[in-house]
Amino acid sequence: MRRSTPWMCALVMVATSGCKQVSDQYAKIKQTIEAKIAQRRGRLPTPSQPAPQPPRLSADTPLATVVPKPPPAATPAAPSRRHVAQAPEIPRPDRDVPYESPDTGTIAPGMGEKEIYSLWGPPISVRRRGEMTFLYFRNGCEYTCGTEDVVFLQNGQVVDAVLRWPGHGYSGQSSSPAATPPHGPARPGGDTLTVKSPSTPGAR
């Protein structure tokens, strides 16, 4: 009986290992069959992603590698400013020439070039740069004002106007409105400033 005990143990071990191999083969075949069935039904099994393993730390690991750096703060966007196109220069007279015309009226943002001509007549000059068009009209103060009346069009529509002649009006917000003259009641005695002299020490 004692001689048969080792043989019995060996047979049990062989049977156990064989069962394990059979169960592994069965699991693989089952997984393959399930994958093919899912593929035929249009559903592909999603492979499980292994969880990220934390880094192993030691006494020599620097602290900078352990603590993650915070993401950089987003830079606030600068406030948008109204872009004003620069009108090209044209020759100007060396003195002001009075200007009178029956062609008057007020233009508005969004108007087209032909609509402006119907109100003010033809301009004295037209300049085009890319999508911008600049229309120049006389105003009678080309020398002292430093500019003609200029209308700015972008893609064929009015976007700005710099006007000095009273007969030319613009209902939008001009990038260079006419200067406002000083107003208000005059001070009595003018703008003279009187300063009192300091009193002499000891005087009453």
Side-chain angles (χ1 to χ4, degrees), residues 32-108:
T32 304
I33 293 173
E34 290 178 353
K36 288 185 177 181
I37 292 174
Q39 186 176 7
R40 288 183 180 180
R41 293 180 179 178
R43 296 177 299 176
L44 295 177
T46 56
S48 59
Q49 296 291 336
Q53 298 294 331
R56 295 183 179 180
L57 304 179
S58 63
D60 298 334
T61 305
L63 185 60
T65 60
V66 179
V67 181
K69 295 181 179 180
T75 305
S80 58
R81 297 181 178 179
R82 181 184 175 191
H83 176 69
V84 180
Q86 185 67 32
E89 293 288 338
I90 66 171
R92 298 191 184 94
D94 55 357
R95 60 186 180 87
D96 289 337
V97 178
Y99 175 66
E100 292 294 334
S101 173
D103 299 325
T104 61
T106 300
I107 62 174

Side-chain angles (χ1 to χ4, degrees), residues 39-172:
Q39 186 176 7
R40 288 183 180 180
R41 293 180 179 178
R43 296 177 299 176
L44 295 177
T46 56
S48 59
Q49 296 291 336
Q53 298 294 331
R56 295 183 179 180
L57 304 179
S58 63
D60 298 334
T61 305
L63 185 60
T65 60
V66 179
V67 181
K69 295 181 179 180
T75 305
S80 58
R81 297 181 178 179
R82 181 184 175 191
H83 176 69
V84 180
Q86 185 67 32
E89 293 288 338
I90 66 171
R92 298 191 184 94
D94 55 357
R95 60 186 180 87
D96 289 337
V97 178
Y99 175 66
E100 292 294 334
S101 173
D103 299 325
T104 61
T106 300
I107 62 174
M111 290 181 63
E113 192 171 339
K114 292 183 179 179
E115 295 178 275
I116 301 172
Y117 296 164
S118 65
L119 288 176
W120 296 352
I124 60 173
S125 180
V126 178
R127 296 287 187 271
R128 303 185 192 276
R129 285 186 179 177
E131 61 182 15
M132 298 298 298
T133 302
F134 306 91
L135 309 179
Y136 297 83
F137 295 87
R138 291 192 58 191
N139 56 18
C141 67
E142 290 83 359
Y143 181 72
T144 56
C145 294
T147 180
E148 295 78 6
D149 284 1
V150 188
V151 181
F152 299 70
L153 293 91
Q154 186 173 14
N155 295 323
Q157 294 184 337
V158 176
V159 294
D160 193 7
V162 177
L163 309 176
R164 296 295 180 263
W165 188 54
H168 292 160
Y170 179 53
S171 62

Side-chain angles (χ1 to χ4, degrees), residues 1-13:
M1 201 62 190
R2 293 180 179 177
R3 292 181 179 179
S4 61
T5 301
W7 291 103
M8 291 297 293
C9 293
L11 287 174
V12 170
M13 292 178 61

